[in-house]
Amino acid sequence: MPLTRIAAVAGHFGADIGRALDKLAGIIDRLGADGVDLLVLPDATLGGYLGDLSNPDPAHWPEAIDPDGSEIGMLCRMAGAMTVCVGYAERAGQRRYNAAVCLTGDGVLGRHRKVHQPAGEHLAYAAGDRFAAFDTPVGRLGMLIDYDKTFPESARTLALDGARTIAALSAWPASVTDRASRMPNDRQARLFDLYDQARAAENQVVLASSNQTGITGRLRFLGQAKVVGPGGDILAKTWSKGGLAVADIDIDAEVDRARRVLRHLDERRTDTYHNLLRDKACRPCE
């Protein structure tokens, strides 16, 4: 059976895009030699993330780049046969998006703009408006950007669109309001793992979760990259420092096996979810 080698990265990527590209050239070259088929890099790999979510300073916002610019073209040339998912700040006219792109040496395969925004992130970025899966050399895939995975509807939409693998790219910090002395005790660290496992298990898909590490401004990032199987089991994981979570998995065989008896997507009772898509603007009129 064909195995797909998946690598999810926990690492620190700062504001210097040129330095990040140099770092990625070494990472991709080494992992290509190791037979990695799918590489999932963190959110904000190109340009870094915000240093403060409560009141982000425009002077320190990440540099936004063109979605079809030279940086993306350079990554395509680096990727070769590997499928690579990477996060960056996207420039779109007068707007900026927290965005991700999936690519190979043949070009761009798919894109995602972060939909769900925590705290003051809306001051720096516009919100995306959709979730969509797309075809890749490693099968049909969809992407989420950090806070997106808090909402079950995000991953469910991708699964219903045929995604068998979800790449969850994050710049996910430890709790700002309730800091723990040890990272494993941090509330956000526990939620980060919980969401990864739940989104994989409830949709019976493979999930590759990346994250930033280190400190940017007031934010201390969690790491905890992982690959999760369609039963919610963690197949490989890093901790709070930089590293790679690598797992070999037959994606189609494992997803099919998970869905052999219980098929969550088929067994939904959409007739009972009466308020799921109700426009919240109408609620006061009820």
Side-chain angles (χ1 to χ4, degrees), residues 19-38:
R19 184 175 180 181
L21 288 168
D22 288 342
K23 185 175 181 178
L24 290 175
I27 291 172
I28 292 172
D29 184 63
R30 175 166 59 87
L31 295 183
D34 289 341
V36 168
D37 301 296
L38 172 62

Side-chain angles (χ1 to χ4, degrees), residues 32 40 62-64 69 71 82 93 135 165 203 205 228 239 247 253 269 282:
V40 180
E63 179 184 351
E71 299 88 351
M82 189 185 301
D135 294 323
T165 302
N203 294 295
V205 297
V228 186
W239 300 100
R269 284 289 309 279
C282 295

Side-chain angles (χ1 to χ4, degrees), residues 2 6 17 19-20 25 34 41 56 63 85 93 95 118 166 178 180 186 207 238 248 263 275 282:
I6 300 173
I17 293 177
R19 184 175 180 181
D34 289 341
L41 292 153
E63 179 184 351
C85 300
R95 293 188 170 189
I166 292 177
D178 186 20
D186 185 87
L207 186 142
T238 72
D248 295 320
R263 299 178 61 86
N275 63 350
C282 295

